[in-house]
Every structure is written in structure tokens, then in C-alpha cells.
């Protein structure tokens, strides 16, 4: 076994702290990765604090992992020692179900193996994530990080980046399409940058105009502050696609009204309580209310290559591992522009 150091949550209401644990020895198809950086995703906070239920402790969170390969198994062909690589939300899946056959492993019908707070394929070993110095992952679930992307800025692409890239691609954002991004946080700011690079006309839809300059600086074409009376009404029926990154409980009706005939509003942020929606605005214009979960391994690689080619990186604030607890409190308050990245080299 490989001895690993990490930062773990030990119980729902305790601060995270240092944790010594073990990683498996590399199997023939595994790569061993020296973790350099790991992003902090809001879902890390939800799971470390057991806000979704069923959390397994001790838990080493983190699924925005960027590092360098230090060893490979005997059968590995896709990566070699010294390669810059990333690991996102998935470390394995069944590989045989209809979703996996379509290379949509995030929708694995048997349940994908998530990077932490999940189980490995043996069905009993708990997975541990990226707030750590080392991880062992199957080569097929390990991404190539292009040279043009610095490792610290590549990290948040592995979850936040692909969570927006996947629906933008699936619902065909591009030239001639009007795309709305609800909420300018870790997810939303990636949606703006990627949507603009895809050629879409992008509007940020936000509670007030406190982030207007940031949004325009990221390339957004328009900014819609919803605290202005009738702000949404004035744009009714003008959007081809809206992606909702906001996890707050809001009345969706006025947002459905923004969509054109046949257009979709896609949710990627999860509110704490179930939503109550009125179907009239959906029925009236054959609109869709849809959901999207992270992205597949293939989409994640496409997204990394796309971001490298288009020079897209997240706006990050880098912290040392001992700053994780303070960072969690700031994530909850949306007090970060726009993603925390932990320098795991300082562990
Ligand atoms: Zn995430
Ligand atoms: Zn599957």
C-alpha cells in the first residue's frame, strides 16, 4: 500500500484536519499521481458537512485534482511518468451499461464510482479524494492536462469547467444562440467563459449588479440584474438556453418565460429543498426544464483541450491546506472570486 497524507472531515460538524491513510498499490491499469493542486467545490462542503446525508467519515474531499504521474502499472498505455494529469468527479464506472457504452459514465446505470465519499469497484473500499498528496486512479479515468494550462488553474476545470461545458455542448450553444447563465460563482463564471468561447451570445442573470463588471470582463455580452422591476419580463421569449447554477430556492416561473419556443432551462445547482413549479410557462411554449450532471471522461478531455486552445482558465484564489476550513465558510457565503484552489504541495 502507498502511505498518503490528507486533510479529512472526521464528522459532519467538525473542522477538517490532517489524516494519514493508504492508497492501493497500482494495478496494471493504474497511474499513481502526485497531487499538486485541488479545487474546492461547493459539493465538497455539502458532503463534508453531511448536508446531503449518508456521508462516510473520515472523508478526504476533493474532485478537482491536478498533478503529475509518478508511476504507472504494467499495462498502462495512455500516460507515462512525468505527464501532467487530472482527475475529476469519477474514478471508475461499470463500463458495460448503456450509458457507459455511450461514453456517458457519469450516468452509469449501476452508479459511477465517485472520487470521494463513494465506493471503489470492489463495492466496499471507500474512495478518498484530492485534499491529499497522492492518488491512484485507473488510466481510463485520468485526464491529460494540455501544456498550455497551468496546473493550479486546470484543477477547477475538472468539475466546475465540465459541469458547464457538458450542457452547453449538449444543448448546442454556439454562434447565433442566446445563452443565459444564472449565477456568477464557481460554476457560472466557467459557463460565461466557455459559452463565449463557443461563440454564443452570453447573458449573466444575477440577483443584483455587484458582479456586472466581473461578468463583462469575462466576456459576457449582457448582464441582467433581477432586482430591477420587470427586468426579466423585458427579455421574455429571447433565450435559446439557460443554465441555472444557483442552488437557492427561487421561483422558476419568470425564468421559464425567458425561453424561446422549444428552448431549455438546465439545472446544474441543487437547492436544499424540492422546488415547486407551475407547468404553464413550460406548456405554453413547449419549453423544457432539464438537468445535467458533471460530464463524461470524454467530455472532460474535450473541455480541457478546448480551454487550452481558447486560452480559458478559471479565476482562482490559491490557499494552503490549513486554510481549507476558512475557505469552506467563505464558499458558503459566496465570498470567493471565483474558485479556491488548495496548494497540495504545501501539505
Ligand atoms: Zn464539484
Ligand atoms: Zn455503467
Amino acid at each position: 500500500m502507498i502511505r498518503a497524507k490528507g486533510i479529512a472531515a472526521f464528522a459532519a460538524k467538525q473542522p477538517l484536519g490532517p489524516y494519514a491513510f493508504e492508497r492501493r498499490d497500482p494495478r496494471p491499469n493504474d497511474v499513481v499521481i502526485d497531487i499538486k493542486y485541488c479545487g474546492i467545490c461547493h459539493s465538497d462542503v455539502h458532503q463534508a458537512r453531511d448536508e446531503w446525508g449518508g456521508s462516510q467519515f473520515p472523508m478526504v474531499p476533493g474532485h478537482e485534482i491536478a498533478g503529475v504521474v509518478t508511476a504507472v502499472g504494467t499495462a498502462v498505455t495512455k500516460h507515462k511518468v512525468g505527464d501532467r494529469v487530472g482527475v475529476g468527479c469519477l474514478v471508475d464506472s461499470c463500463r458495460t451499461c448503456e450509458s457507459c457504452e455511450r461514453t456517458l459514465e457519469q450516468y452509469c446505470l449501476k452508479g459511477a464510482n465517485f472520487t470521494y465519499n463513494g465506493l471503489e469497484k470492489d463495492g466496499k473500499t471507500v474512495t478518498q479524494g484530492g485534499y491529499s498528496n497522492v492518488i491512484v486512479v485507473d488510466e481510463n479515468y485520468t485526464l491529460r492536462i494540455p501544456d498550455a494550462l497551468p496546473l493550479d488553474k486546470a484543477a477547477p476545470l475538472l468539475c466546475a469547467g465540465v459541469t458547464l461545458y457538458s450542457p452547453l455542448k449538449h444543448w448546442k450553444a454556439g454562434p447565433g444562440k442566446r445563452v443565459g447563465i444564472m449565477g456568477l460563482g464557481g460554476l457560472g463564471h466557467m459557463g460565461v467563459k466557455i459559452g463565449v468561447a463557443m461563440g454564443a451570445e452570453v447573458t449573466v442573470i444575477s440577483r443584483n449588479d455587484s458582479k456586472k463588471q466581473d461578468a463583462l470582463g469575462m466576456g459576457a455580452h449582457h448582464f441582467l440584474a433581477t432586482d430591477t422591476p420587470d427586468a426579466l419580463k423585458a427579455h421574455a421569449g429571447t433565450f435559446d438556453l439557460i443554465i441555472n447554477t444557483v442552488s437557492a430556492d427561487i421561483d422558476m416561473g419568470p425564468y421559464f418565460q425567458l425561453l424561446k419556443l422549444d428552448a431549455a432551462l438546465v439545472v446544474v445547482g441543487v437547492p436544499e429543498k424540492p422546488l415547486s413549479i407551475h407547468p404553464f410557462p413550460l406548456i405554453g411554449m413547449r419549453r423544457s426544464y432539464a438537468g445535467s450532471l458533471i460530464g463524461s471522461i470524454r467530455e472532460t478531455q474535450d473541455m480541457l483541450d478546448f480551454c487550452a486552445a481558447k486560452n480559458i482558465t478559471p479565476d482562482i484564489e490559491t490557499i494552503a491546506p490549513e486554510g481549507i476550513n476558512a475557505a469552506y465558510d467563505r464558499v458558503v457565503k459566496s465570498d470567493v472570486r471565483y474558485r479556491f484552489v488548495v496548494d497540495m504541495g504545501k501539505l
Side-chain angles (χ1 to χ4, degrees):
M1 301 292 271
I2 298 171
R3 294 168 82 166
K5 292 185 286 186
I7 301 288
F10 296 94
K13 295 201 161 53
Q14 273 178 29
L16 282 70
Y19 177 53
F21 63 108
E22 288 180 329
R23 301 285 192 184
R24 66 173 183 256
D25 285 321
R27 299 177 192 138
N29 287 99
D30 283 341
V31 298
V32 182
I33 302 165
D34 178 15
I35 300 175
K36 302 292 188 193
Y37 296 96
C38 186
I40 295 181
C41 176
H42 204 149
S43 63
D44 299 351
V45 182
H46 286 306
Q47 292 178 83
R49 295 181 174 177
D50 199 15
E51 289 165 354
W52 292 343
S55 286
Q56 306 175 79
F57 299 105
M59 178 199 304
V60 179
H63 57 206
E64 294 184 336
I65 300 165
V68 175
V69 175
T70 55
V72 296
T74 51
V76 168
T77 58
K78 294 181 173 148
H79 307 283
K80 59 182 191 308
V81 171
D83 281 359
R84 303 158 83 251
V85 293
V87 178
C89 304
L90 307 172
V91 288
D92 217 324
S93 65
C94 87
R95 309 186 192 201
T96 56
C97 73
E98 196 180 327
S99 298
C100 286
E101 295 242 300
R102 290 176 61 195
T103 69
L104 292 168
E105 307 85 5
Q106 74 273 40
Y107 304 116
C108 176
L109 299 178
K110 296 192 179 136
N113 302 96
F114 291 100
T115 303
Y116 70 89
N117 194 28
L119 293 176
E120 290 186 13
K121 276 188 103 166
D122 64 8
K124 54 180 193 238
T125 310
V126 175
T127 52
Q128 300 289 9
Y131 300 179
S132 168
N133 63 330
V134 60
I135 191 167
V136 180
V137 181
D138 186 285
E139 63 169 334
N140 295 301
Y141 295 77
T142 301
L143 291 309
R144 238 178 324 100
I145 295 180
D147 289 340
L149 294 173
L151 286 182
D152 54 351
K153 293 193 168 189
L157 298 177
L158 278 309
C159 173
V162 76
T163 297
L164 273 292
Y165 178 88
S166 177
L168 285 166
K169 195 88 182 167
H170 181 75
W171 275 276
K172 301 186 168 55
K177 295 288 180 74
R178 290 202 67 195
V179 172
I181 303 289
M182 291 171 63
L184 192 70
L187 294 174
H189 96 294
M190 290 314 310
V192 171
K193 294 185 183 200
I194 293 171
V196 168
M198 286 176 171
E201 185 181 335
V202 175
T203 301
V204 170
I205 306 167
S206 187
R207 261 175 310 181
N208 55 50
D209 62 8
S210 65
K211 290 179 174 172
K212 184 172 180 178
Q213 287 318 312
D214 282 7
L216 299 179
M218 290 170 196
H221 303 92
H222 313 282
F223 191 93
L224 194 49
T226 58
D227 61 356
T228 330
D230 294 335
L232 296 179
K233 259 191 192 154
H235 296 84
T238 61
F239 284 87
D240 296 283
L241 169 67
I242 296 175
I243 299 183
N244 181 11
T245 72
V246 178
S247 46
D249 184 4
I250 48 177
D251 175 15
M252 293 309 298
Y255 296 91
F256 294 147
Q257 300 279 14
L258 291 173
L259 297 169
K260 291 180 183 173
L261 172 67
D262 285 337
L265 191 150
V266 181
V267 56
V268 296
V270 187
E272 270 174 44
K273 284 184 230 148
L275 286 182
S276 169
I277 60 162
H278 204 296
F280 266 143
L282 296 175
I283 293 169
M285 279 289 156
R286 201 163 63 183
R287 295 164 174 137
S288 302
Y289 185 33
S292 179
L293 175 70
I294 51 175
S296 68
I297 296 299
R298 179 183 283 179
E299 286 171 315
T300 307
Q301 190 62 61
D302 288 351
M303 176 275 310
L304 289 167
D305 296 342
F306 178 82
C307 288
K310 300 281 186 178
N311 203 13
I312 297 169
T313 55
D315 294 7
I316 62 167
E317 183 176 331
T318 307
I319 60 167
E322 50 270 29
I324 289 175
N325 289 303
Y328 271 26
D329 292 336
R330 286 181 54 197
V331 166
V332 172
K333 287 187 276 182
S334 300
D335 174 27
V336 51
R337 295 196 174 185
Y338 279 89
R339 201 68 156 177
F340 284 114
V341 172
V342 187
D343 182 348
M344 298 314 313
K346 293 195 175 139
L347 194 66

